[in-house]
């Protein structure tokens, strides 16, 4: 939780996406149906309509401010409500001014336009109420506590981490850097736009095992293998995210706006339990950059990765299937 040297509203702004449309090269507009956005996931997927060549998109917004924003005795004046879309990967920030629906409501509405050429993947959409406080304009009075995600390429509005899995011969791959890991069954690459797990097809049988679709012991071994890969992936992406943080002038870490931010918000409650995610981020950052505490935190990071990968569930299924197979062979 941040401390502000001026009065603010105590509750966050509620944000909803109400419609999405794409503007196409031929000048027409495709009004997307509700499958393009998910209120539960708070995510917009602009690839849902299959238009790879769309020029721009318009996302309609509805925001509800907390009670008290227009009290006569409020400490702020000149209140404005802004929708802000931030893309940490391309360093693009787009804003729009929302309009109050009616004088007797707390609802504001508007739309924000984004251009396809400005975005490679995911951007964060938030709403801020800003005003003049103590003679200083542009101070934030309230904001959304969780941004929506606008994904320029996905065809499914899923908020969580998306991993790409690619198969490659590490010894013969055109990616020369893979050759240094020729004896590894898989490697996690966190440097690309989407974290990628490279599976080494040089390992005898791994390709067929991952592609197996049976229901016997082989499938349980496959599930166990996938869970281990996922554990490694979650561990790697957490370290990748926490090691690439921007820092405010005061020294505090800033949540990333792309997949790295999603990873941190997902895992931090298990890494530093019992505190708000912003405080958890500060604690982890202090331990990583300080003199002590980082080594001790590795157990919690591994535990958080195991939970996300559902490794215990996969292991339990594999053990029960092996026990069943043993019983059947003894009959």
């Amino acid at each position: 939780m941040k401390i502000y040297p001026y009065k603010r509203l105590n509750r966050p702004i509620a944000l909803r996406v109400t419609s999405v449309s794409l503007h196409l090269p031929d000048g027409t507009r495709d009004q997307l149906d509700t499958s393009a956005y998910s209120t539960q996931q708070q995510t917009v997927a602009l690839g849902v309509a299959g238009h790879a060549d769309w020029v721009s998109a318009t996302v309609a917004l509805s925001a509800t401010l907390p009670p008290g924003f227009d009290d006569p005795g409020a400490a702020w004046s000149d209140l404005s409500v802004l929708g802000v879309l931030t893309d940490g990967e391309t360093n693009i920030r787009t804003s729009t001014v929302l309009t109050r629906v009616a004088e007797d409501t707390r609802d504001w509405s508007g739309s924000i336009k984004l251009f396809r050429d400005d975005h490679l993947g995911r951007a964060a959409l938030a709403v801020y109420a800003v005003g003049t406080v103590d003679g200083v304009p542009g101070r934030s009075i309230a904001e959304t506590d969780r941004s929506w995600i606008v994904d320029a390429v996905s065809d499914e509005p899923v908020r969580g981490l998306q991993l790409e899995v690619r198969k490659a011969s590490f010894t013969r791959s055109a990616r020369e850097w893979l050759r240094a890991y020729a004896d590894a069954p898989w490697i996690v690459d966190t440097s690309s736009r989407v974290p990628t797990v490279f599976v080494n097809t040089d390992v005898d049988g791994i390709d067929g095992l991952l592609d197996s679709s049976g229901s016997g012991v082989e499938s349980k071994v496959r599930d166990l293998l996938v869970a281990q890969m996922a554990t490694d992936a979650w561990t790697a992406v957490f370290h990748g995210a926490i090691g690439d943080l921007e820092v405010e002038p005061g020294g505090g870490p800033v949540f990333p706006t792309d997949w790295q931010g999603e990873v941190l918000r997902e895992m931090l409650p298990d890494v530093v339990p019992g505190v708000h995610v912003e405080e958890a981020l500060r604690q982890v950052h202090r331990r990583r950059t300080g003199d002590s505490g980082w080594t001790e935190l590795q157990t919690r990071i591994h535990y958080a990765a195991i939970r996300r990968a559902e490794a215990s569930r996969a292991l339990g299924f594999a053990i029960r299937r092996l026990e069943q197979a043993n019983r059947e062979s003894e009959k």
Side-chain angles (χ1 to χ4, degrees):
M1 182 176 181
K2 292 184 179 180
I3 304 299
Y4 294 85
Y6 56 89
K7 291 185 178 180
R8 286 169 35 95
L9 291 166
N10 295 325
R11 293 167 57 186
I13 297 173
L15 170 61
R16 297 169 300 282
V17 167
T18 57
S19 69
V20 180
S21 61
L22 296 180
H23 304 268
L24 305 179
D26 62 1
T28 62
R29 187 179 72 164
D30 187 357
Q31 186 73 38
L32 305 185
D33 60 30
T34 55
S35 65
Y37 55 94
S38 167
T39 301
Q40 181 179 6
Q41 295 284 328
Q42 291 185 297
T43 302
V44 178
L46 296 179
V48 69
H51 298 296
D53 59 346
W54 57 273
V55 177
S56 64
T58 299
V59 180
L61 315 175
S62 176
T64 301
L65 268 61
F69 77 93
D70 58 352
D71 285 351
W76 47 84
S77 60
D78 305 322
L79 187 70
S80 297
V81 180
L82 305 175
V84 180
L85 184 73
T86 305
D87 191 322
E89 191 170 1
T90 59
N91 290 322
I92 296 293
R93 176 170 293 190
T94 306
S95 62
T96 187
V97 178
L98 305 186
T99 304
R100 193 173 183 180
V101 174
E103 288 298 322
D104 59 347
T105 73
R106 295 187 285 117
D107 296 328
W108 300 62
S109 65
S111 62
I112 193 163
K113 187 175 184 178
L114 60 147
F115 291 90
R116 180 67 184 91
D117 290 344
D118 290 339
H119 302 279
L120 299 175
R122 293 186 156 202
L125 178 62
V127 170
Y128 299 84
V130 299
T132 300
V133 184
D134 299 330
V136 180
R139 282 185 157 173
S140 177
I141 306 305
E143 58 275 321
T144 46
D145 60 350
R146 191 184 191 199
S147 299
W148 275 64
I149 298 297
V150 179
D151 195 316
V153 297
S154 177
D155 59 1
E156 185 178 1
V158 177
R159 187 180 186 92
L161 174 67
Q162 293 181 316
L163 290 174
E164 185 172 349
V165 178
R166 295 185 182 180
K167 298 176 183 178
S169 167
F170 284 16
T171 58
R172 299 186 298 273
S173 175
R175 299 177 178 86
E176 294 187 5
W177 64 269
L178 281 176
R179 298 173 188 175
Y181 309 103
D183 58 345
W186 59 79
I187 285 292
V188 183
D189 176 21
T190 62
S191 63
S192 54
R193 182 183 64 82
V194 177
T196 303
V197 180
F198 286 95
V199 178
N200 188 1
T201 56
D202 295 332
V203 176
D204 189 28
I206 193 171
D207 198 5
L209 180 61
L210 291 175
D211 288 340
S212 64
S213 58
S215 58
V217 174
E218 188 179 61
S219 70
K220 301 309 175 188
V221 175
R222 179 202 62 211
D223 293 345
L224 194 58
L225 179 65
V226 170
Q228 181 59 57
M229 290 171 57
T231 300
D232 290 351
W234 278 105
T235 304
V237 295
F238 182 88
H239 281 282
I242 206 69
D244 194 28
L245 292 175
E246 292 186 12
V247 179
E248 294 176 325
V254 179
F255 262 107
T257 57
D258 53 9
W259 65 261
Q260 295 175 328
E262 289 302 304
V263 166
L264 294 176
R265 292 185 186 278
E266 182 76 15
M267 294 182 68
L268 281 171
D270 284 327
V271 177
V272 185
V275 300
H276 191 275
V277 289
E278 290 190 354
E279 174 58 26
L281 181 64
R282 285 192 287 270
Q283 290 188 26
V284 172
H285 179 68
R286 283 197 299 267
R287 293 195 189 190
R288 192 186 70 84
T289 58
D291 296 330
S292 63
W294 179 238
T295 300
E296 292 79 0
L297 205 61
Q298 300 310 303
T299 301
R300 297 294 314 183
I301 295 172
H302 189 230
Y303 167 69
I306 288 173
R307 287 200 63 194
R308 295 303 168 283
E310 296 186 339
S312 296
R313 180 172 176 267
L315 178 60
F317 284 162
I319 291 174
R320 286 192 293 273
R321 187 64 187 89
L322 288 171
E323 290 175 343
Q324 181 182 355
N326 288 336
R327 288 194 299 269
E328 292 175 349
S329 66
E330 291 173 355
K331 291 179 179 180

